[in-house]
Amino acid sequence: FHIGEREEKCIIEDLPSDTLVVGNYKVQRWDIHIHDFLESAPGLGMFVTVSTPSGEVLLSKLYGPQGMFSFTSYLSGEHIICFQSNSTRFAVTAASKLRIHLDIRVGEHFLDESAIQAKDKVNEVNIRLEHLIEQIHHVTKEQDYEREREEKFRKTSEETNSNILWWAIVQTLILISVGIWQIKSLRDFFISKKLV
């Protein structure tokens, strides 16, 4: 994605609790002379800030033009990950565009293939089995989180339906009482004018 040199860009990740998130990024600066993005942006860093669903700051750190950040979510919900350059230029002169390449991996632990090749076959199977078990745990966490979200949604829907039912009953009672009042008032009017 592209951002201005002094601009802050945030993304939202919906995460279950106890989930490891690893992010890799690379910043490129626009060069006016060659009309293309430079391969790297020396001297330019990125502030990475991660906020929990409750608003608590989980991570706030300055990194270089290329880096990796990681955090573990302890609450389930929408985590906000924000990026802002550490440019010291004034807002008027900081007209340069930045391109950020971002790769976020949620809940995965990647295998080190060189370590696997160095081990014998039994250890390789053992390591792959541990990796599969870890992935199964991650999938069950995701499923539990989705069940939790579905239950909240169902409760909200049931409460809304209940409120709609009571509102309809109240409207009906008001309509009936206004109708009875109008009939009584009209009857009293006719009696007072001796039309009946």
Side-chain angles (χ1 to χ4, degrees):
F1 57 88
H2 295 145
I3 63 171
E5 197 167 332
R6 304 271 302 169
E7 182 183 352
E8 182 180 48
K9 182 79 168 187
C10 296
I11 59 172
I12 297 173
E13 281 289 327
D14 201 0
L15 303 170
S17 60
D18 298 324
T19 302
L20 177 67
V21 177
V22 178
N24 289 309
Y25 73 90
K26 178 182 173 186
V27 180
Q28 294 176 310
R29 180 182 280 159
W30 177 258
D31 190 345
I32 299 172
H33 305 296
I34 62 172
H35 298 291
D36 197 10
F37 287 96
L38 298 173
E39 199 50 43
S40 67
L44 191 65
M46 292 299 284
F47 283 109
V48 179
T49 307
V50 179
S51 301
T52 63
S54 63
E56 181 182 341
V57 175
L58 195 60
L59 171 74
S60 180
K61 192 171 178 183
L62 175 64
Y63 293 93
Q66 185 170 350
M68 181 183 95
F69 62 91
S70 65
F71 65 92
T72 302
S73 64
Y74 66 90
L75 285 175
S76 59
E78 293 180 345
H79 289 67
I80 301 171
I81 304 170
C82 296
F83 298 90
Q84 185 177 19
S85 71
N86 69 339
S87 173
T88 56
R89 296 187 197 181
F90 291 113
V92 177
T93 60
S96 189
K97 286 192 298 185
L98 301 176
R99 177 189 288 167
I100 299 177
H101 300 272
L102 179 63
D103 177 33
I104 294 181
R105 296 185 307 267
V106 176
E108 277 194 47
H109 300 281
F110 293 96
L111 292 173
D112 184 9
E113 293 295 330
S114 62
I116 291 175
Q117 291 172 356
K119 306 279 183 181
D120 59 351
K121 292 293 179 184
V122 174
N123 285 340
E124 179 182 341
V125 170
N126 207 5
I127 290 171
R128 289 194 185 274
L129 185 61
E130 287 174 5
H131 180 68
L132 286 174
I133 290 171
E134 196 170 290
Q135 284 182 331
I136 289 170
H137 287 303
H138 175 68
V139 167
T140 55
K141 270 194 244 178
E142 284 280 337
Q143 287 176 336
D144 290 342
Y145 178 59
E146 289 302 321
R147 275 190 210 103
E148 187 179 306
R149 287 183 60 197
E150 187 271 332
E151 186 177 331
K152 283 182 190 175
F153 180 73
R154 191 183 73 244
K155 283 182 182 176
T156 304
S157 296
E158 288 173 357
E159 288 175 8
T160 304
N161 288 339
S162 174
N163 290 342
I164 289 171
L165 175 67
W166 285 111
W167 179 246
I169 291 171
V170 168
Q171 280 182 325
T172 304
L173 291 176
I174 291 172
L175 186 63
I176 290 171
S177 52
V178 166
I180 292 171
W181 177 77
Q182 283 180 337
I183 291 171
K184 185 180 179 315
S185 297
L186 193 59
R187 197 179 103 213
D188 290 345
F189 174 75
F190 286 146
I191 290 172
S192 68
K193 295 294 183 184
K194 298 182 183 179
L195 294 173
V196 179

